[in-house]
Amino acid sequence: MISPSPRSPHSNSAPDDGRTVVIVGAGPAGLAVANILRAASVDCVVLETESRQFVETRPRAGVIEEWAVRELDRRGLAGRLPERAAPHSACEFRFAGERYRFPYTELTGRHHYVYPQPLLVTDLLREYADVRGGDIRFGVRDVTLHDLHTDRPAVSYRCPDTGETRLLRCDFIAGCDGARGVTRDAIPARHRRIARQDDGIGWLALLAEVPPSMDCVLFGLHPRGFAGQMPRSPEVTRFYLQCPPGDDPENWPHERVWTELRERLGAAGAPPLAEGRLIEKRVLDMHHYVVEPLVHGRLFLAGDAGHLVAPIAAKGMNLALNDAFVLGDALAAYVSLGDVSGLDGYSAACLRRVWDYQEFSQWLSDVYHGLASGDPFRAGTTLARLRRLFSSPAAAAAFAEQYLGSAPAY
């Protein structure tokens, strides 16, 4: 429950002008919260350790679910997305040398949209800082949270220009600083539970300067390992290759990458892959975690700071946006109307969708990697799941609902 507590002054840092909300992190979650608060005339500041150029260009996810696009548009935050995003209506599975197209829009009337996260961040940042005049401070260092148990917590940081440590008093802190940020660790271990899952699988993440070979996402399920193609733009394509966890990207020279992609994504009648220059290679270990609760005192975690879902089902950015919508609305309602219900219910409301998406990601991971597990029983059950997906309308409808995040309630 949100209620007043004794205040605790700090004297080791130079004072700064206070804010109602300090937002740590300028990713999709932090910037969406900031824009919602700015629109509601709630004073806030965003602290970001990286430069503006960095946050607008770092490679990240690219799939946005239709409900999230509607919410962005309703709040005036869709930016250039409606004109520039590519709507997707189907995905394609390839296994046992055959192609199986899954037309989810025909089944549901819903779409996925491909809009790389850097473009969304650029839109949200422009709206907040340039159009709405919001306060954002880039390049800050040594971000530290204080007095979370009081009604006037604080965030200190070192100014990149002067080297001086500044202190921002506030009513609330939004921890939106991702998986490697500081806000999650500011919660004492005795006040949080972190549920973790390690799949024991790595993915080599690749960006290639080539057009997509198909108009949709491709999932290659192969005894040599999973492969995926995710279109990003007419000129750039994201690929994934299953590899050992912790593998060195240097073990994957150009020719080996394209040989494996051709093999694992090959199928009867499939057009050849467009091949070209690789502009990114990094290994992602497939792991997941969920922090419960997402609230400690006046600190609210959002996005990867509170939960990480591996890119298996392309859910991470969507969960971050959902957190931001719930949190931004709840903070605005509290400040404007004194309504505490949204803040008190924030963690439970967000975790329902988080756990649903985690369960789907786990199911999909079993399907993606079952044929390469080396276990004949697991491979057999994987093929049974896939056959059911393309022979049972009920199974297809259930998959489409989870894939699109379109359940009527979470």
Side-chain angles (χ1 to χ4, degrees), residues 330-347:
L331 288 167
Y334 177 82
V335 174
S336 303
L337 306 171
D339 181 357
V340 302
S341 60
L343 293 178
D344 288 345
Y346 168 74
S347 183

Side-chain angles (χ1 to χ4, degrees), residues 29-346:
L31 291 170
V33 170
N35 273 292
I36 293 169
L37 296 180
R38 192 74 178 158
S41 300
V42 177
D43 60 313
C44 62
V45 59
V46 180
L47 302 178
E48 170 57 51
T49 59
E50 303 292 349
S51 68
R52 179 167 184 167
Q53 180 183 14
F54 182 89
V55 301
E56 289 184 336
T57 56
R58 57 184 164 191
R60 287 294 187 270
V63 174
I64 306 182
E65 293 169 349
E66 189 173 298
W67 65 266
V69 174
R70 288 198 304 269
E71 281 294 310
L72 288 167
D73 188 56
R74 183 174 72 83
R75 300 163 187 275
L77 299 177
R80 298 168 293 176
L81 194 156
E83 300 87 46
R84 299 179 65 182
H88 279 217
S89 59
C91 58
E92 185 171 296
F93 290 81
R94 296 181 177 179
F95 58 93
E98 300 293 335
R99 303 166 60 190
Y100 298 86
R101 193 171 179 89
F102 188 83
Y104 47 80
T105 300
E106 290 182 17
L107 295 171
T108 66
R110 307 285 179 87
H111 290 84
H112 265 155
Y113 290 87
V114 173
Y115 195 62
Q117 181 172 310
L119 298 182
L120 178 64
V121 166
T122 299
D123 292 344
L124 292 173
L125 186 49
R126 177 181 177 275
E127 184 67 25
Y128 174 70
D130 303 335
V131 176
R132 301 182 180 183
D135 186 355
I136 183 165
R137 305 176 189 186
F138 292 102
V140 301
R141 293 289 181 267
D142 302 331
V143 176
T144 307
L145 279 58
H146 310 274
D147 301 335
L148 299 178
H149 61 287
T150 74
D151 71 326
R152 196 67 175 167
V155 180
S156 62
Y157 67 94
R158 182 160 51 87
C159 176
D161 298 322
T162 66
E164 184 180 31
T165 297
R166 308 295 296 178
L167 185 76
L168 276 167
R169 284 282 169 199
C170 57
D171 294 324
F172 301 99
I173 301 170
C176 307
D177 52 345
R180 297 180 178 86
V182 301
T183 59
R184 178 180 64 253
D185 290 338
I187 302 175
R190 66 184 182 277
H191 291 299
R192 70 184 186 190
R193 186 190 78 168
I194 302 181
R196 300 181 184 273
Q197 169 71 26
D198 186 344
D199 293 350
I201 291 165
W203 276 11
L204 180 68
L206 305 153
L207 272 180
E209 285 185 329
V210 295
S213 63
M214 290 284 293
D215 62 348
C216 66
V217 172
L218 302 181
F219 306 123
L221 284 55
H222 194 278
R224 294 177 65 89
F226 170 78
Q229 176 205 266
M230 286 70 179
R232 286 294 179 263
S233 74
E235 300 84 21
V236 175
T237 303
R238 167 74 73 189
F239 293 98
Y240 292 112
L241 280 169
Q242 183 181 343
C243 65
D247 202 357
D248 186 344
E250 295 306 309
N251 292 333
W252 294 84
H254 179 95
E255 186 54 41
R256 184 186 180 194
V257 165
W258 290 109
T259 297
E260 287 297 319
L261 285 171
R262 287 193 300 268
E263 175 69 23
R264 300 185 196 185
L265 289 172
L273 288 179
E275 300 181 21
R277 189 169 76 94
L278 298 171
I279 56 178
E280 180 192 73
K281 287 193 298 183
R282 57 195 176 105
V283 171
L284 308 174
D285 290 345
M286 298 296 103
H287 66 278
H288 326 255
Y289 62 76
V290 178
V291 180
E292 294 185 291
L294 295 172
V295 179
H296 177 68
R298 294 296 182 100
L299 168 64
F300 295 79
L301 301 180
D304 286 359
H307 43 76
L308 179 71
V309 58
I312 289 166
K315 296 293 190 182
M317 182 161 57
N318 296 284
L319 286 176
L321 289 172
N322 183 67
D323 291 352
F325 299 148
V326 177
L327 180 57
D329 289 347
L331 288 167
Y334 177 82
V335 174
S336 303
L337 306 171
D339 181 357
V340 302
S341 60
L343 293 178
D344 288 345
Y346 168 74

